[in-house]
Amino acid sequence: MSDKDYQFNTRAVRAGQVRTAEGEHSEPIFTTSSYVFDSAAQAAARFSGDEAGNIYSRFTNPTVRTFEQRLAALEGGERCVATSSGMAAILSTCLGLLKAGDHIVASQSIFGTTVVMFSQHLAKFGVETTFVSLTDLDAWKNAIQDNTVFLFLETPSNPLGEVADIPKLADVAHERDCLLVVDNCLCTPALQRPLDLGADIVIHSATKFLDGQGRCMGGAIVGKEEIVGKDIYGVVRTCGPSMSPFNAWTFLKGLETLSVRMKAHCENAQQLAEWLDAQPAVTQVYFPGLKTHPQYDIAQSQQSGPGAVLSFELKGGKDAAWTLIDATELLSITANLGDTKTTITHPATTTHGRLTPEQRQEAGISDGLIRIAVGLEDIVDLKADLQRGLDVLS
Ligand SMILES: *Cc1c(COP(=O)(O)O)cnc(C)c1O
């Protein structure tokens, strides 16, 4: 049977493994920078491309390949290319697909560093980006130009959990011969498979839930061989943002438990969101698992779980937010997400601190907003930790 024939959880544990003559049960880490050839003729054939096989670990590495094949099998894509970070995955996609004079349409609710990459670094090379509201289909349509190459989004968005309609946006993109690129970092393939919903490329920061335990940096690009396997792979192999074998191995172990972890993350997040929603000091909770969420139905139709990132607004603005954050003893005050350890952040003064007050208001980041990336601790302790802060406030 090929990996494709197995169910998701089986692929997560088994796909891509090639056992060596040693008969090892767990995947080995191939820490080698280069590979030896049987003869000068074989070396020549490998370099010319006449013979497939390893040459140098910037190009291919068996541990990295196992990770790539396993993630491709989970996302339902033909090809995956692993990178040294999530940003390297986005950059390699851009360098592979774009040239000076091209145009991107991107959601304005994407990872802040991606906004900086598009609007500052790519702009220097003559690539322009138009930012639109994630949920406004007409805005996406109207922003597409003749030189637009792809549409780029994250769903659900971070920190406000807005949900994009992936099938509809795929149609919008394809009508104008554009590609749809989805950063699937917050859901992972355990909850959402954008390629099945019509997207052309899936991006990952493996640093987040794929690792799931806050250990390694990495990224990945998944899609059709013809899209990902040519120019995008060419950029990674030539320009060098390749994944290290050790990190690939760590992510492989992460993928083996992805489904059970995501299920537990979602359950904790759902309980916490409902509990926060009932607190008098909390004016609003942003979480796609709440029935009052404006895109609840879309989330239900394209995600098998709500994810584990939630935000809420406190009466009392920044002072109240900082008071609550500082009253916690268990939660980690850090901006990372996708870890077993629950993290708490004040977006207005950290992740979104470089925006002007007007830009923050437009992005919906109020001074009283707190983001929580829910981990796997016991829900009783998570609630008690936040209760400490709510008690101080009341
Ligand atoms: C963290 C993150 C990235 C960047 O990934 P790195 O591994 O930190 O480079 C990209 N997109 C999203 C949605 C992220 O959360």
Side-chain angles (χ1 to χ4, degrees):
M1 272 172 99
S2 93
D3 290 339
K4 281 206 302 298
D5 301 320
Y6 290 111
Q7 299 299 310
F8 186 90
N9 289 339
T10 308
R11 301 200 295 275
V13 174
R14 299 272 184 180
Q17 182 169 16
V18 181
R19 205 158 277 144
T20 75
E22 299 293 347
E24 72 282 353
H25 196 197
S26 175
E27 297 77 356
I29 309 176
F30 283 89
T31 50
T32 180
S33 39
S34 73
Y35 303 85
V36 292
F37 311 109
D38 292 339
S39 64
Q42 188 184 41
R46 289 271 174 92
F47 272 82
S48 70
D50 289 341
E51 181 186 301
N54 297 313
I55 300 174
Y56 191 55
S57 277
R58 173 158 34 80
F59 310 168
T60 59
N61 173 281
T63 312
V64 175
R65 187 186 307 118
T66 301
F67 165 74
E68 290 172 335
Q69 291 185 352
R70 190 165 298 175
L71 184 59
L74 296 182
E75 285 287 3
E78 283 171 10
R79 178 72 190 268
C80 170
V81 175
T83 57
S84 54
S85 69
M87 293 320 295
I90 299 172
L91 180 65
S92 302
T93 301
C94 291
L95 293 182
L97 299 179
L98 300 168
K99 61 180 185 317
D102 283 343
H103 178 249
I104 302 168
V105 183
S107 156
Q108 64 199 13
S109 315
I110 52 178
F111 189 58
T113 313
T114 312
V115 174
V116 175
M117 182 194 289
F118 289 175
S119 55
Q120 293 178 24
H121 298 285
L122 290 183
K124 262 195 335 204
F125 296 94
V127 172
E128 268 189 43
T129 305
T130 304
F131 293 95
V132 298
S133 160
L134 179 65
T135 55
D136 184 347
L137 219 52
D138 286 333
W140 285 95
K141 275 186 203 160
N142 294 335
I144 297 177
Q145 306 173 2
D146 291 340
N147 58 345
T148 305
V149 174
F150 60 75
L151 280 50
F152 187 100
L153 62 88
E154 286 163 28
T155 179
S157 70
N158 171 21
L160 293 177
E162 300 161 281
V163 176
D165 191 323
I166 297 177
K168 285 208 177 115
L169 281 167
D171 287 345
V172 167
H174 297 152
E175 267 163 33
R176 299 285 300 271
D177 285 332
C178 299
L179 300 172
L180 180 64
V181 183
V182 176
D183 182 333
N184 200 26
C185 172
L186 261 68
C187 272
T188 84
L191 303 182
Q192 170 172 276
R193 277 190 295 283
L195 300 175
D196 292 349
L197 297 165
D200 302 288
I201 295 177
V202 164
I203 301 275
H204 273 287
S205 166
T207 317
K208 312 294 169 52
F209 289 105
L210 300 190
D211 174 358
Q213 292 162 70
R215 300 166 293 195
C216 287
M217 306 285 306
I221 308 138
V222 193
K224 285 209 173 73
E225 173 67 34
E226 155 193 320
I227 300 173
V228 175
K230 292 192 171 145
D231 291 344
I232 296 175
Y233 170 60
V235 166
V236 174
R237 147 185 180 133
T238 304
C239 302
S242 315
M243 180 179 280
S244 90
F246 177 79
N247 290 8
W249 180 83
T250 308
F251 298 136
L252 272 172
K253 297 296 116 184
L255 289 180
E256 290 178 11
T257 57
L258 183 67
S259 271
V260 280
R261 282 188 293 109
M262 291 313 290
K263 199 159 171 252
H265 275 291
C266 289
E267 279 169 16
N268 261 0
Q270 184 73 37
Q271 288 197 49
L272 204 62
E274 288 173 9
W275 179 79
L276 283 165
D277 206 28
Q279 302 302 317
V282 174
T283 52
Q284 183 147 15
V285 179
Y286 301 90
F287 184 64
L290 294 179
K291 291 207 172 72
T292 49
H293 186 280
Q295 294 97 33
Y296 177 79
D297 291 336
I298 303 175
Q300 288 290 308
S301 73
Q302 69 189 22
Q303 298 173 212
S304 60
V309 177
L310 65 85
S311 294
F312 60 100
E313 237 153 38
L314 284 174
K315 281 181 199 152
K318 183 192 131 186
D319 289 346
W322 280 27
T323 300
L324 184 136
I325 290 171
D326 289 342
T328 61
E329 295 171 3
L330 177 68
L331 304 197
S332 312
I333 307 176
T334 168
N336 199 23
L337 62 89
D339 198 316
T340 48
K341 298 181 173 72
T342 300
T343 68
I344 189 163
T345 321
H346 183 237
T349 52
T350 59
T351 52
H352 295 69
R354 271 176 297 176
L355 302 184
T356 64
E358 295 74 38
Q359 286 173 319
R360 268 201 297 280
Q361 194 179 6
E362 201 176 325
I365 311 295
S366 72
D367 289 347
L369 190 77
I370 291 177
R371 188 199 74 185
I372 295 184
V374 185
L376 300 183
E377 301 95 336
D378 197 290
I379 187 68
V380 171
D381 295 322
L382 295 178
K383 285 182 189 169
D385 205 36
L386 290 165
Q387 186 67 55
R388 268 187 267 279
L390 293 171
D391 288 345
V392 175
L393 290 177
S394 64

